[in-house]
Amino acid sequence: MGDDAASDGDSDVVADKTDGDSVEDNDYGIEPYLMTVLSKKFEMATRDMTQSLLRSARSGVISVARDFSSAITLFDGRQFMIDEGLPVHLVNVHFVPRRTRELHDEIRPGDCFLTNSPYAGNTHHADYTLHAPVFYDDEPLFWVVSRAHQADIGANEPSTYLPDAENVYQEAMHFPSVKVQEDYEDREDIVRMCKLNIRAGDTQWYGDYRAQIASIRTGEERIRDLCDRYGPEMIKQFSRAWLQYGESMMRDEIGTLPDATVEHVSRHDPVPGAEEGIPVRVKLSIDPDEERIIVDLTDSMANVPAGFNLTEATTVAGAYAGVFNNVDSNTPRNHGSIDRISVKMSKGTVVGEPEYPAATATSTTNVSGVLFNAVQAAFSELGEPYGLAEGCTGIPPNAAVISGTDFRHDDEPYVNQIILRGGGGPGVYGHDGWVMYGLPGAAGVMHRDSVEIDERKFPILIERNETLQDTEGAGRFRGAPGSVCEYGPRNDPMTAAYIADGIEYPPQGVQGGGEGGSAGAMKVTADGDEVKLPGTSVVEIEPGERIRGIISGGGGYGDPLERNPEAVRKDAEEGLISLERAQTVYGVVLSKQGDVVEIDWEATRRSRNGDGGGVQ
């Protein structure tokens, strides 16, 4: 790819518009009520796909935590309709069917393809992207796409994240647009290979695979029903109009922004090959006259010999989603809207298009999250009310991939990623950080595990799972606090694989806001001693021992001394901040009698004016 990915001749990052015309120049004859009805019908088709997978998947990371997404693209690959899925999964989903069309000369009804290759348009190896064409009257119209994070992918370690992988050959099996179904029947050689190479392949993996197939076929059936009811010509007219509508809304949004070029740098903790950390530099150019935003990511360090390099898909996801986080949430995330965003990137860099065979195992969680942060925070350089602070990134032990054997079921092996994270949401103008944020690339879409269900499904005990006081990024609108989780095996040793971030470079605030509390990892021995663990590791935990993970707090937005004193009082009453922090950071003097916290207004006035005050 060249430096400017806006050219369709160089890259799939930004496709040509439907017919080269703008929405102002065309009237596709779609009545407004039909636009509303059909957009909701297609949205419900993706929701039905989601429900089909959610209710039939076997692994906890899919069936409980919802680490998956559903989408529909046009047959030429342009982004069309997405469900309530993960931003890191969806704003780039069009890469995969486009690549499949390039690799396969003939595509027929009943075909289904599997892509997990980071060099075939996918996010990373752990996300299995199943996609099938939708034909009507022998004409290909759409692709239905199911992208789901697997509990295991057959790597040499029981983890789907391999930060120590020096190249792509060490990560797992590669499926670059491989046909897994023909005439609606599985290709048994492919399925057999997966079963033999993936832990719990014959049970857990195969159940998840069949659930994804069910999701795909559900979406195919719903679209055919729509063609039956409204006719294929009306559906094609709506498809064109829907993209034009997305473009029109995005043009309007960009047209209201200031004409400016701003920059921001966010940082990932040190990794192999980047001992000082990985800086993620963003240069954002807003042209309201041309109604276009250019995200320049070309100032990036070269690929590192570890799994922290981004893929083309996750680079684009961070750029697009960082922009979408700063426009009207009703703007459709389709190819009409993303066509107004140009992404510049280089090849052979950590942020950009990787140079084969660079490893990309963690490309959805770590540097990817830092890129989301950098783009959304760059907007804050425009001043209030623009931009967001930085949110928590990485996979600390709170969301580790755990594995071992289960003494309750004849030592049957288990492997799954637990999701017991919370906190870390960034402050944004008008709102405090979201406690259930998760990660920038998940943005609150994923669900937290149930402690009780995790303890029932796996032979573990979860002894601590709570927010941490005084870890919020202070601000006029504060970040969400960090959280801590502590757990261990009940009877036999357990392995926990994690890749934390935010230990050395916690999420930063913007517009005068403070940084969030740092992340961390440690082992608690059977004697109660606390042993600090590296930020990235695969650790064996013996019975009687526990692993503790800390998620960083989110950065704050604006001057903490401008925070509403009543909001400070409420935070103290709920235990999110101490009385001392309320006074020293926010300038609000509080007193506490029992569970009741009250504001000393006169002392607060003096404190905020620099005249003293004190904690009572």
Side-chain angles (χ1 to χ4, degrees), residues 378-412:
F379 279 88
S380 69
E381 301 298 326
L382 301 174
E384 294 184 356
Y386 301 106
L388 293 80
E390 297 181 3
C392 63
T393 62
I395 304 291
N398 315 54
V401 177
I402 61 171
S403 60
T405 58
D406 194 338
F407 70 96
R408 304 168 303 174
H409 301 290
D410 299 322
D411 291 332
E412 177 180 311

Side-chain angles (χ1 to χ4, degrees), residues 20 25 43 53 105 234 331 373 441 474 505 607:
D25 299 327
E43 182 181 316
L53 178 55
D105 294 332
M234 176 61 73
T331 303
N373 281 338
Y505 299 115
S607 177

Side-chain angles (χ1 to χ4, degrees), residues 147-438:
R147 175 171 283 163
H149 186 102
Q150 305 300 303
D152 188 80
I153 52 176
N156 62 329
E157 294 177 352
S159 173
T160 53
Y161 306 101
L162 299 163
D164 295 331
E166 295 182 0
N167 53 58
V168 75
Y169 307 121
Q170 299 175 9
E171 291 187 343
M173 294 186 296
H174 301 248
F175 295 100
S177 299
V178 172
K179 187 184 293 186
V180 292
Q181 277 200 333
E182 200 165 22
D183 196 24
Y184 297 98
E185 295 294 332
D186 285 348
R187 291 185 58 189
E188 290 299 331
D189 54 345
I190 304 296
V191 172
R192 184 168 56 253
M193 180 172 64
C194 291
K195 287 181 177 180
L196 290 174
N197 282 277
I198 295 174
R199 297 168 183 84
D202 200 36
T203 53
Q204 179 172 269
W205 173 83
Y206 186 63
D208 287 346
Y209 164 76
R210 293 301 302 177
Q212 281 193 267
I213 289 290
S215 173
I216 290 292
R217 298 309 177 192
T218 295
E220 181 183 20
E221 182 180 353
R222 297 295 181 271
I223 293 175
R224 286 179 174 168
D225 288 345
L226 290 175
C227 290
D228 284 341
R229 181 170 181 179
Y230 295 96
E233 292 307 314
M234 176 61 73
I235 295 300
K236 286 187 282 188
Q237 286 182 352
F238 166 71
S239 301
R240 292 190 290 268
W242 183 243
L243 299 195
Q244 295 275 349
Y245 175 65
E247 180 186 5
S248 177
M249 284 201 68
M250 194 62 162
R251 283 180 177 273
D252 289 345
E253 285 294 303
I254 298 174
T256 64
L257 295 174
D259 186 341
T261 296
V262 294
E263 299 182 30
H264 187 83
V265 180
S266 298
R267 293 184 180 275
H268 189 281
D269 285 349
V271 304
E275 283 67 26
E276 300 300 320
I278 298 176
V280 176
R281 299 181 177 91
V282 172
K283 182 178 180 181
L284 193 72
S285 299
I286 303 168
D287 189 337
D289 294 330
E290 293 294 324
E291 296 166 332
R292 177 168 296 281
I293 291 176
I294 300 173
V295 183
D296 188 342
L297 307 173
T298 54
D299 188 5
S300 176
M301 66 188 301
N303 286 141
V304 295
F308 293 91
N309 303 294
L310 298 192
T311 62
E312 185 182 8
T314 52
T315 297
V316 167
Y320 287 169
V323 172
F324 279 123
N325 287 348
N326 284 277
V327 300
D328 188 339
S329 61
N330 292 314
T331 303
R333 273 60 168 163
N334 64 29
H335 232 92
S337 55
I338 65 176
D339 190 44
R340 306 313 306 167
I341 307 170
S342 298
V343 183
K344 294 183 177 182
M345 65 177 80
S346 301
K347 189 168 184 175
T349 51
V350 172
V351 176
E353 183 181 2
E355 186 78 56
Y356 193 85
T360 61
T362 73
S363 68
T364 59
T365 56
N366 284 58
V367 178
S368 169
V370 178
L371 174 58
F372 275 73
N373 281 338
V375 177
Q376 68 190 28
F379 279 88
S380 69
E381 301 298 326
L382 301 174
E384 294 184 356
Y386 301 106
L388 293 80
E390 297 181 3
C392 63
T393 62
I395 304 291
N398 315 54
V401 177
I402 61 171
S403 60
T405 58
D406 194 338
F407 70 96
R408 304 168 303 174
H409 301 290
D410 299 322
D411 291 332
E412 177 180 311
Y414 67 88
V415 58
N416 191 64
Q417 183 178 6
I418 60 172
I419 306 294
L420 291 168
R421 59 186 310 140
V428 57
Y429 184 84
H431 302 278
D432 293 337
W434 193 358
V435 175
M436 300 309 298
Y437 180 67

Side-chain angles (χ1 to χ4, degrees), residues 61-62 66-69 86-90 92 96 114-118 121-131 145-153 160-161 172-173 175 205 212 311 313-314 360-365 368 417 441 446:
V61 71
I62 298 177
R66 290 181 58 131
D67 193 350
F68 69 88
S69 302
L86 282 61
V88 75
H89 279 175
L90 286 178
N92 52 19
V96 167
L114 165 60
T115 294
N116 81 325
S117 171
N122 202 48
T123 46
H124 69 153
H125 277 99
D127 288 335
Y128 274 28
T129 304
L130 269 65
H131 50 294
V145 185
S146 172
R147 175 171 283 163
H149 186 102
Q150 305 300 303
D152 188 80
I153 52 176
T160 53
Y161 306 101
M173 294 186 296
F175 295 100
W205 173 83
Q212 281 193 267
T311 62
T314 52
T360 61
T362 73
S363 68
T364 59
T365 56
S368 169
Q417 183 178 6
M446 287 180 61

Side-chain angles (χ1 to χ4, degrees), residues 520-586:
M522 64 183 60
K523 179 190 285 190
V524 181
T525 69
D527 296 329
D529 297 330
E530 297 180 352
V531 180
K532 184 178 180 180
L533 295 174
T536 296
S537 188
V538 179
V539 181
E540 186 165 285
I541 309 299
E542 298 289 340
E545 296 181 332
R546 302 183 301 280
I547 189 169
R548 179 186 300 165
I550 297 174
I551 290 174
S552 56
Y557 190 108
D559 187 347
L561 294 177
E562 296 179 2
R563 183 166 176 77
N564 187 327
E566 177 58 28
V568 177
R569 186 202 66 79
K570 184 176 180 182
D571 285 344
E573 191 169 67
E574 293 180 350
L576 298 180
I577 63 173
S578 63
L579 300 189
E580 180 180 5
R581 184 169 175 84
Q583 197 276 326
T584 59
V585 176
Y586 294 95

